[in-house]
Amino acid sequence: MPAISPEQLMKKALVLASEAALEGEVPVGALVSLPDGRCFEGRNRIQERSVLDHAEMEAMNKALSAVGRHGLGNATLYCTAEPCLMCLGAMVQARIGGLVYGCEEPRFGGVALLRELWAEGRYPHRFPIASGICKDEARRLLVDFFKERR
């Protein structure tokens, strides 16, 4: 099976974000990618279910159900927007292998704070973080969604 590129994975996450927007949810999509090629998808379901049902949480819950508590060390979570503090905390607890996100989220994103906590010596589990893949598409989904709401 040929490897899926980070761009292809982010485009899948963008499709999930678009689906969320069509249902009135903030357009965020996520997926957990395992080295064996399996992917576990998630999208925001905050309006549908609970304020805790973020895309990242749904994708990680599905992955953890499939591979077990200690199975995400080699997994990468792809998310269309910078994760919030709740989702980043869950990534630390799940021992995720890496994070890739599309666009920054200036109001609720928590990557800068997580890095500060790492620098202080807190949260011994650290993982690589990359951003900017499909940034413009991810940002456009958010901007258009909130423009319609105002």
Side-chain angles (χ1 to χ4, degrees):
M1 172 194 280
I4 300 174
S5 73
E7 291 80 13
Q8 291 169 310
L9 291 166
M10 190 62 75
K11 289 199 182 288
K12 283 185 174 188
L14 286 165
V15 169
L16 295 166
S18 295
E19 291 171 2
L22 289 173
E23 294 187 12
E25 296 282 356
V26 175
V28 177
L31 58 89
V32 172
S33 174
L34 296 175
D36 65 9
R38 289 183 289 168
C39 288
F40 301 90
E41 301 177 346
R43 65 174 188 76
N44 272 1
R45 295 180 193 275
I46 297 164
Q47 302 299 321
E48 178 184 332
R49 294 186 202 159
S50 161
V51 295
L52 302 176
D53 284 323
H54 290 201
E56 303 92 328
M57 300 295 275
E58 183 176 53
M60 284 190 294
N61 276 325
K62 288 178 180 178
L64 286 165
S65 292
V67 300
R69 168 86 171 93
H70 302 288
L72 298 187
N74 291 323
T76 302
L77 189 142
Y78 289 82
C79 186
T80 58
E82 179 182 1
C84 72
L85 290 173
M86 174 184 72
C87 293
L88 287 164
M91 287 176 220
V92 169
Q93 293 299 319
R95 303 288 196 254
I96 197 80
L99 167 65
V100 177
Y101 65 91
C103 67
E104 293 178 351
E105 213 308 335
R107 288 187 67 201
F108 297 107
V111 168
L113 181 56
L114 179 64
R115 286 185 170 138
E116 285 178 29
L117 293 171
W118 285 343
E120 290 176 11
R122 299 184 193 194
Y123 298 128
H125 176 69
R126 298 170 190 216
F127 47 87
I129 299 173
S131 65
I133 296 177
C134 301
K135 175 176 77 174
D136 294 336
E137 297 95 320
R139 171 65 54 214
R140 177 61 39 215
L141 278 173
L142 289 168
V143 167
D144 289 350
F145 178 83
F146 286 111
K147 190 182 296 183
E148 289 177 19
R149 297 279 183 255
R150 293 185 179 115

